[in-house]
Amino acid sequence: MNRPNMLLIAVLAAAYILVPVLLGGDAYVMSLVIASLVIGGIALSWALLGNLGGMVSFGHAAFFGVGAYTSAVLSMQHGVPIFLGLLLGGVGAVLSAVLMLPVLRLRGPYFALAILAYAHIFRILATEWESVTGGSAGIASIPQLPTVFGFDFSSKIGNYLLILTIVLVFAWIYDRIRRSPHGLALRAMHDSEDATRVVGVNNTLLKALMLLVSAFMCGVVGAFNAHYINFLEPDYAFSALWVTIPIVAAIFGGYRTITGPLVGAVVVYLVDQLFVKNIMPTGHQLVLGLVLVVMIIASPDGLLGLFRKFMRKKDAAA
């Protein structure tokens, strides 16, 4: 067994066994770990769109919020099972992304700003559609995750294991797409869209598919979060924080890798909440901004890129 596979097995064993055993009794720390994985899931979906689709999005809060409201409303008002509601939350986010397809004709900052505008539109709709969303008052008492075969998914450990599994499944899907012929075509588009178009690649269709896949991932994570916190209101569901922190996490960890956004989210969020926030109760986000700037200058490929450079030097020295 080669070293990457051994490392993967060790990481999975630590995530599924050691974390619940060592931290399961500390509700506060477990809540921070769950929140970091939620951010990691959004960061992963954002990185997929940016890395493969070549599109920078400032509007993933739209997918997160739509997914959250879809699952919450379906489970509360129509009795849809919660686990099915999570998937339907992703479907709801995909439908919202379909409405955004016309902006694929835009590039660069124009696309990013157009997606951001859609996020604001969905926030306004959630505020005004009071009969369904509860308006600005929000929705309370959203059903918790159920107990299945005697295991309570609404517990901290249950929530942790579920969001961990969701994020890892999405990472696997991301990897499969990247290794596929479509992934090769998408990476080639980064160098020259005109050249790939000449050889018969439908650039617009591939970008649209990446937008829909990214939206589904983010929508499922939003749906999970709604059942985790049991409350929703428009300013929270469509908050800009669901854009800024995942972007920082993805870039910090290395958005061109699959595990980079996840590692970045866990490191950035936990360090911020457990250490920086205690030292600087107000303005602690400024430290994250400074750390991000330093990371971009020192290692444009992010934390994982820095780690790989260190390992290569270590192997060369040996």
Side-chain angles (χ1 to χ4, degrees), residues 6-288:
M6 292 178 62
L7 179 61
L8 177 61
I9 293 174
V11 170
L12 291 177
Y16 277 100
I17 300 174
L18 289 183
V19 171
V21 170
L22 298 178
L23 303 178
D26 192 328
Y28 174 67
V29 174
M30 284 300 295
S31 66
L32 294 181
V33 173
I34 293 169
S36 70
L37 289 174
V38 169
I39 293 171
I42 305 171
L44 186 69
S45 68
W46 182 89
L48 180 144
L49 186 63
N51 186 26
L52 295 184
M55 295 173 283
V56 176
S57 168
F58 291 156
H60 266 55
F63 308 139
F64 183 88
V66 170
Y69 270 106
T70 299
S71 185
V73 170
L74 288 176
S75 62
M76 293 183 70
Q77 300 182 11
H78 301 283
V80 173
I82 293 176
F83 286 121
L84 177 59
L86 298 182
L87 296 177
L88 293 178
V91 173
V94 169
L95 294 178
S96 70
V98 170
L99 299 177
M100 302 178 186
L101 291 180
V103 305
L104 289 177
R105 295 180 298 175
L106 303 176
R107 295 186 180 183
Y110 301 103
F111 172 83
L113 292 175
I115 294 294
L116 178 62
Y118 272 99
H120 285 291
I121 291 172
F122 284 118
R123 180 180 61 81
I124 293 171
L125 288 175
T127 303
E128 298 298 328
W129 200 1
E130 295 185 5
S131 61
V132 175
T133 65
S136 57
I139 303 175
S141 301
I142 297 173
Q144 295 180 332
L145 294 172
T147 298
V148 179
F149 298 119
F151 183 78
D152 184 9
F153 279 96
S154 68
S155 65
K156 291 295 182 183
I157 294 178
N159 278 284
Y160 165 75
L161 292 176
L162 179 58
I163 187 59
L164 175 65
T165 302
I166 289 172
V167 168
L168 291 179
V169 168
F170 287 163
W172 178 79
I173 293 172
Y174 184 174
D175 181 62
R176 298 298 297 176
I177 294 174
R178 191 177 68 168
R179 294 175 183 270
S180 70
H182 299 303
L184 178 62
L186 286 163
R187 294 198 298 275
M189 284 166 49
H190 291 184
D191 297 326
S192 175
E193 287 195 22
D194 293 333
T196 54
R197 192 177 294 111
V198 167
V199 297
V201 176
N202 191 330
N203 297 340
T204 302
L205 177 60
L206 287 180
K207 284 186 175 182
L209 291 175
M210 288 306 97
L211 178 62
L212 298 181
V213 172
S214 178
F216 178 81
M217 290 180 176
C218 195
V220 172
V221 173
F224 164 84
N225 193 66
H227 294 283
Y228 170 60
I229 66 171
N230 314 123
F231 175 77
L232 272 182
E233 55 92 15
D235 289 339
Y236 171 81
F238 298 96
S239 172
L241 291 176
W242 300 121
V243 179
T244 54
I245 297 180
I247 290 177
V248 170
I251 295 176
F252 181 84
Y255 83 97
R256 293 193 181 280
T257 65
I258 295 176
T259 55
L262 304 180
V263 173
V266 173
V267 172
V268 166
Y269 188 77
L270 292 184
V271 169
D272 177 55
Q273 294 295 313
L274 292 175
F275 301 104
V276 180
K277 192 174 181 180
N278 291 330
I279 300 173
M280 297 177 59
T282 58
H284 54 96
Q285 292 87 354
L286 295 175
V287 176
L288 294 181

